[in-house]
Structures are given as C-alpha cells and as structure tokens.
Amino acid sequence: LDPADDVLEVGTGSGFLTACMSQLAHAVTGIDVHADFVEAARARLAAAGAHNARVEAADLFSWNAGRQFDAVCIGGAVSEVPARVFDWVKPGGRLVVIRGQAPAQEAVRMTRRGDAWHAESLFETDIPYLRGAEPKQRFVL
C-alpha cells in the first residue's frame, strides 16, 4: 500500500489487518457482516490509535460503497468475485482476493488497467468463505 491510498477491507473481523493497513495507507474503510465483530474492532482500533480507520456493519452483497478505492482487500474466500466489487476499484487500483473452490483456492492480486484487469496468482490456500460467497451446488437430489 502507498501512503496516499484509500483502502476498502471486506470482512474486517477482529480489526487486526485493518490496523496494519491503517499504518501504511491514508485511510481504511472496513466492513463486516457481524455487528459484534464491528464493535470489538472499533474498540481495538481506537485503543491502537488507528484514527484513519473506520469500520461499519455491512454485507458485501448489499452494501453500496458509493465511491472507488485505490485498493480493495477481501478477507474471506469467494467462489467467484462478485461483479460489484470491480466497480469499487479505481483505474490503476488493486484488488486482493482469495477465489475458487476449496480445497484449492487461489489468492490473486488483480490490477485495473483502464477497463481491463490483470490477474497475478500469489499462492494457493484454503480458507472459509465469506457468508453468501460459497460455491453454488451444481446438483441436488
């Protein structure tokens, strides 16, 4: 991250990564679907002096960013990157996400170059999915 970057973190959880990013970037906005996580993260961020970070209770699939960010970090896996996330990244901005089907998910950094996206594979992993971002069942009896 660069000192001038405005960052969006989806899946804030405890706020640890939010605090880390707040030391590197201009401002960090975090969202998490769990209101109790948000309250705890706010308290931790205030105690850590991370005054350039804010966290709100919101769901990835219904939240309206209302703007674009230099960097977006999604802190849980998604089977497919929701199309709406791409609109939140400024031209030249980056999106870091873990995508795919467990147990062979892939962490990628996607860079927006105009209307095109360049994806760089970082590593393979297997982490829990964000709520609502699980793979769709293909066949059900």
Side-chain angles (χ1 to χ4, degrees):
L1 296 174
D2 294 322
D5 282 347
D6 286 326
V7 180
L8 171 64
E9 178 190 23
V10 177
T12 297
S14 70
F16 178 78
L17 186 57
T18 315
C20 292
M21 291 189 294
S22 76
Q23 295 297 305
L24 301 171
H26 173 259
V28 180
T29 300
I31 65 169
D32 199 290
V33 70
H34 302 286
D36 55 332
F37 288 6
V38 169
E39 280 187 46
R42 284 178 181 157
R44 287 183 186 107
L45 291 166
H51 302 295
N52 61 335
R54 69 181 186 86
V55 183
E56 61 184 87
D59 186 283
L60 164 67
F61 298 100
S62 60
W63 184 67
N64 181 6
R67 57 178 286 218
Q68 292 182 317
F69 298 86
D70 299 294
V72 175
C73 175
I74 300 183
V78 297
S79 60
E80 296 179 20
V81 181
R84 64 193 336 242
V85 173
F86 294 109
D87 294 335
W88 299 342
V89 181
K90 290 180 181 179
R94 291 94 58 215
L95 166 65
V96 174
V97 62
I98 295 173
R99 65 181 183 186
Q101 308 293 311
Q105 300 164 339
E106 174 187 35
V108 295
R109 178 177 48 225
M110 303 178 77
T111 304
R112 184 173 183 181
R113 296 181 179 157
D115 291 332
W117 289 88
H118 170 75
E120 176 186 359
S121 179
L122 303 174
F123 55 88
E124 288 186 2
T125 190
D126 186 12
I127 67 169
Y129 289 99
L130 289 176
R131 187 170 74 186
E134 305 89 351
K136 306 290 187 260
Q137 289 189 1
R138 296 181 187 260
F139 182 78
V140 179
L141 290 175

